[in-house]
């Protein structure tokens, strides 16, 4: 009997306990202000996906129609009180607003819902997701910069109980405890922001050098942009046979990834996967990720990847284009690529193709339409090509390699003085090869005129 009791106690004591994190219960709050192009229901659905990506479980949604936000609580005072009751009844851990809150609004709502319930907005949620997904040093620095910029104006609320002591007046009130601590914290955060900007500036210079090297090499650059979770990383893997991280969640990719792609004509191009965009993307994030988004601004061609199965596809395109305008990338030629067409039936695909004749319809998952997309990339890459004959000395081995990788070689022969080749080259590559221009043997008429202004361009040192 004693042994049985000991056995029962031992089995109870050493029963394995689950270490799986318990998701926080979240309440989503949205206000219809009549100004957004997105319906409130769709915007909240996206906010719910963001919350799930960050490990929360959405238990309730609270909405309200407003002419303008309440300066104290964003939503109306009555709705705020109702929110507090609902949060306590469902045992909510966090309340997430779909729009950005001012520091005072956040503090006032926290007082209503209780100190045990966190109150955040869409911006804070996105910053938290970015913080979890950033992998490279530059990505982590960019996220930390945005987080500190977001934190700086919200420091006062954290020391409100000490600031209150100063407002009583009397002796010593001029040097209140709270104000002193608040100024110390502000100075620390400002110093942190300054240091992060300096580190990012150093990395940006390094990236600029690498970008210039690619420009001088004549490599045609393609950038994948699009709404988050549109399938950009899957498309990159399909095109370049890579194994970039892919997951069905928002912002699975933050850090830019560049891979080489060999076209059938023999030319090599680079394709860069970039961070996904989203509606109401915080301005501070666009600013912080400027060096990363510079990869888009420096591209020769932008593939705007869209989830064809998403009912908000047209709105997503507009959101992406608005951010491209912000980073001055709207001048770059772009091709809309409707991905996930395997989720559409034949009639829907036909309707989409007829409505968007210049777009490419593909499925990165099963490979349908990929060959047509490769042909389109090759066509865009060869637009404006110059046909020229060059004789490259054997001492310029790197340049000879570039001729074979960056150009379409139409005819070549190995002469005593070097490689004699007739090639189709991009405008940039043609400028690099201009000092080595030669007369074609046997048929001088085939030698095309030099590109405009090329005689004034000096070739980079090879």
């Amino acid at each position: 009997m004693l042994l049985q009791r000991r056995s029962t106690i031992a089995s109870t004591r050493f029963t394995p306990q689950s270490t799986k994190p318990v998701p926080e219960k979240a309440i989503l709050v949205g206000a219809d202000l009549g100004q957004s192009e997105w319906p409130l229901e769709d915007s909240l659905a996206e906010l719910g996906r963001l919350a799930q990506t960050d490990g929360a479980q959405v238990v309730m949604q609270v909405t309200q129609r407003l002419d303008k936000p309440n300066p104290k609580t964003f939503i109306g005072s009555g709705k705020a009180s109702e929110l507090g009751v609902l949060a306590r009844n469902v045992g909510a851990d966090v309340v997430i607003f779909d729009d950005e809150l001012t520091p005072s609004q956040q503090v006032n709502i926290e007082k209503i819902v209780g100190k045990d319930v966190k109150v955040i907005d869409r911006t804070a949620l996105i910053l938290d997701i970015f913080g979890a997904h950033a992998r490279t040093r530059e990505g982590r620095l960019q996220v930390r910069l945005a987080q500190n910029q977001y934190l700086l104006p919200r420091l006062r609320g954290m020391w409100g109980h000490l600031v209150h002591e100063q407002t009583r007046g009397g002796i010593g009130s001029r040097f209140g405890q709270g104000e002193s601590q608040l100024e110390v914290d502000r100075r620390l955060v400002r110093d942190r922001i300054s240091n992060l900007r300096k580190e990012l500036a150093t990395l940006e210079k390094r990236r600029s050098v690498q970008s210039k090297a690619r420009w001088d090499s004549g490599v045609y650059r393609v950038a994948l942009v699009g709404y988050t979770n549109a399938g950009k990383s899957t498309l990159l893997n399909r095109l370049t046979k890579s194994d970039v991280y892919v997951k069905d969640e928002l912002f699975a990719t933050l850090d830019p990834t560049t891979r080489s792609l060999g076209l059938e004509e023999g030319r090599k191009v680079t394709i860069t996967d970039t961070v996904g965009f989203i509606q109401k993307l915080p301005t501070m994030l666009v600013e912080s990720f400027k060096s990363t988004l510079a990869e888009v601004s420096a591209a020769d061609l932008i593939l705007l990847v869209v989830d064809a199965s998403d009912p908000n596809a047209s709105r997503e395109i507009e959101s992406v284009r608005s951010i491209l305008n912000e980073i001055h990338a709207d001048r770059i030629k772009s091709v809309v690529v409707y991905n996930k067409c395997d989720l559409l039936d034949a009639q829907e695909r036909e309707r989409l193709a007829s409505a968007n004749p210049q777009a490419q319809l593909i499925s990165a998952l099963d490979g349908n339409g990929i060959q047509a997309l490769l042909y389109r990339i090759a066509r865009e890459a060869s637009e404006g090509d110059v046909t020229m004959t060059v004789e490259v000395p054997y001492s310029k081995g790197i340049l000879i390699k570039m001729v074979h990788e960056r150009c379409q070689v139409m005819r070549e022969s190995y002469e005593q003085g070097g490689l004699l080749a007739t090639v189709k080259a991009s405008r940039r590559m043609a400028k690099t090869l201009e000092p080595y221009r030669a007369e074609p043997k046997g048929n001088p008429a085939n030698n095309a005129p030099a590109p405009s202004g090329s005689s004034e361009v000096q070739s980079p040192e090879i």
Side-chain angles (χ1 to χ4, degrees):
M1 185 69 178
L2 181 60
L3 290 175
Q4 184 178 1
R5 186 181 302 170
R6 285 178 178 174
S7 177
T8 303
I9 293 173
S11 62
T12 304
R13 181 181 300 173
F14 297 107
T15 300
Q17 301 295 320
S18 174
T19 57
K20 187 177 181 180
V22 179
E24 292 182 301
K25 295 181 179 179
I27 297 179
L28 308 183
V29 182
D32 184 1
L33 302 173
Q35 301 171 351
S36 175
E37 297 180 358
W38 289 68
L40 180 59
E41 296 77 13
D42 293 341
S43 188
L44 283 177
E46 184 177 85
L47 184 67
R49 289 200 63 197
L50 286 169
Q52 290 170 3
T53 299
D54 208 26
Q57 176 188 1
V58 178
V59 295
M60 184 175 293
Q61 292 185 2
V62 175
T63 61
Q64 188 177 28
R65 175 73 175 87
L66 293 172
D67 293 329
K68 60 181 180 179
N70 186 313
K72 291 185 177 180
T73 55
F74 191 84
I75 54 178
S77 56
K79 183 64 73 171
S81 299
E82 180 185 336
L83 175 63
V85 174
L86 291 172
R88 288 187 290 273
N89 288 344
V90 300
D93 301 296
V94 59
V95 172
I96 309 174
F97 277 73
D98 194 31
D99 295 276
E100 189 166 338
L101 300 173
T102 65
S104 60
Q105 288 171 339
Q106 186 172 349
V107 171
N108 291 332
I109 297 168
E110 285 173 348
K111 292 177 181 177
I112 294 172
V113 299
K115 63 180 181 180
D116 294 331
V117 182
K118 292 178 291 185
V119 177
I120 64 173
D121 54 22
R122 175 185 274 254
T123 300
L125 180 60
I126 292 176
L127 287 173
D128 198 49
I129 296 172
F130 272 44
H133 289 189
R135 295 289 180 267
T136 65
R137 179 167 174 256
E138 185 177 19
R140 289 194 293 268
L141 288 175
Q142 289 166 334
V143 172
R144 284 168 56 194
L145 175 59
Q147 288 173 334
N148 280 278
Q149 288 174 325
Y150 178 82
L151 174 66
L152 183 59
R154 289 166 171 78
L155 287 174
R156 177 173 292 273
M158 298 180 181
W159 297 97
H161 63 292
L162 297 178
V163 175
H164 179 69
E165 294 180 9
Q166 182 199 359
T167 61
R168 293 182 296 179
I171 299 174
S173 62
R174 191 173 302 171
F175 304 99
Q177 230 179 0
E179 193 63 28
S180 174
Q181 182 63 61
L182 181 62
E183 287 306 316
V184 169
D185 285 351
R186 281 177 174 168
R187 185 167 61 252
L188 289 173
V189 174
R190 288 194 191 101
D191 290 345
R192 201 177 301 155
I193 290 174
S194 177
N195 292 333
L196 288 169
R197 282 177 173 160
K198 288 177 183 177
E199 288 188 69
L200 284 170
T202 302
L203 292 176
E204 189 171 353
K205 287 180 182 178
R206 189 181 306 166
R207 185 185 291 277
S208 297
V209 171
Q210 294 171 345
S211 181
K212 186 179 183 302
R214 286 199 297 269
W215 173 273
D216 291 340
S217 69
V219 179
Y220 190 83
R221 293 171 292 183
V222 181
L224 302 178
V225 304
Y227 214 73
T228 181
N229 209 38
K232 299 185 298 300
S233 298
T234 305
L235 177 57
L236 179 69
N237 288 341
R238 172 67 67 173
L239 290 173
T240 63
K241 297 179 175 58
S242 304
D243 57 352
V244 174
Y245 175 75
V246 174
K247 191 173 182 181
D248 185 18
E249 65 181 14
L250 304 185
F251 298 118
T253 302
L254 290 185
D255 304 306
T257 304
T258 301
R259 294 289 184 269
S260 177
L261 169 64
L263 302 176
E264 285 188 0
E265 63 184 35
R267 174 183 298 177
K268 286 188 177 180
V269 302
T270 62
I271 299 186
T272 301
D273 183 18
T274 61
V275 61
F277 299 152
I278 200 169
Q279 63 133 347
K280 301 180 183 178
L281 189 67
T283 305
M284 65 187 69
L285 270 178
V286 177
E287 288 295 319
S288 299
F289 276 74
K290 239 172 192 176
S291 59
T292 298
L293 295 174
E295 292 288 335
V296 179
S297 302
D300 298 294
L301 176 67
I302 292 175
L303 298 183
L304 203 166
V305 185
V306 187
D307 183 352
S309 65
D310 196 314
N312 290 312
S314 60
R315 296 190 182 97
E316 291 173 358
I317 293 175
E318 291 305 314
S319 295
V320 173
R321 290 198 187 280
S322 67
I323 297 175
L324 292 178
N325 290 341
E326 286 186 47
I327 62 175
H328 308 294
D330 51 314
R331 57 181 174 76
I332 302 171
K333 186 164 188 179
S334 63
V335 174
V336 177
V337 179
Y338 283 100
N339 189 25
K340 304 185 183 182
C341 287
D342 54 303
L343 301 179
L344 306 179
D345 58 35
Q347 187 175 2
E348 289 173 325
R349 286 195 297 271
E350 185 177 346
R351 184 165 55 247
L352 185 63
S354 60
N356 305 274
Q358 298 302 317
Q360 299 291 141
L361 274 62
I362 68 163
S363 170
L365 190 63
D366 61 23
N368 188 26
I370 293 297
Q371 199 60 39
L373 177 59
L374 287 170
Y375 174 78
R376 179 70 177 273
I377 294 173
R379 193 177 75 189
E380 298 294 343
S382 62
E383 186 178 352
D385 276 1
V386 177
T387 301
M388 61 192 304
T389 299
V390 295
E391 185 170 3
V392 184
Y394 294 124
S395 59
K396 303 291 184 180
I398 295 178
L399 187 55
I400 292 176
K401 181 181 179 183
M402 289 169 58
V403 167
H404 288 110
E405 290 186 350
R406 314 303 184 200
C407 307
Q408 181 179 356
V409 180
M410 304 169 68
R411 187 186 303 109
E412 67 176 345
S413 61
Y414 290 89
E415 306 294 336
Q416 185 175 357
L419 173 68
L420 183 68
T422 300
V423 300
K424 284 183 67 176
S426 66
R427 293 184 186 277
R428 290 203 308 272
M429 192 63 191
K431 291 178 181 179
T432 302
L433 293 174
E434 181 60 28
Y436 307 98
R437 182 181 282 271
E439 291 294 327
K441 291 190 175 182
N443 189 9
N446 288 340
N447 193 21
S452 176
S454 61
S455 59
E456 302 178 3
V457 179
Q458 297 299 319
S459 171
E461 193 66 30
I462 302 296

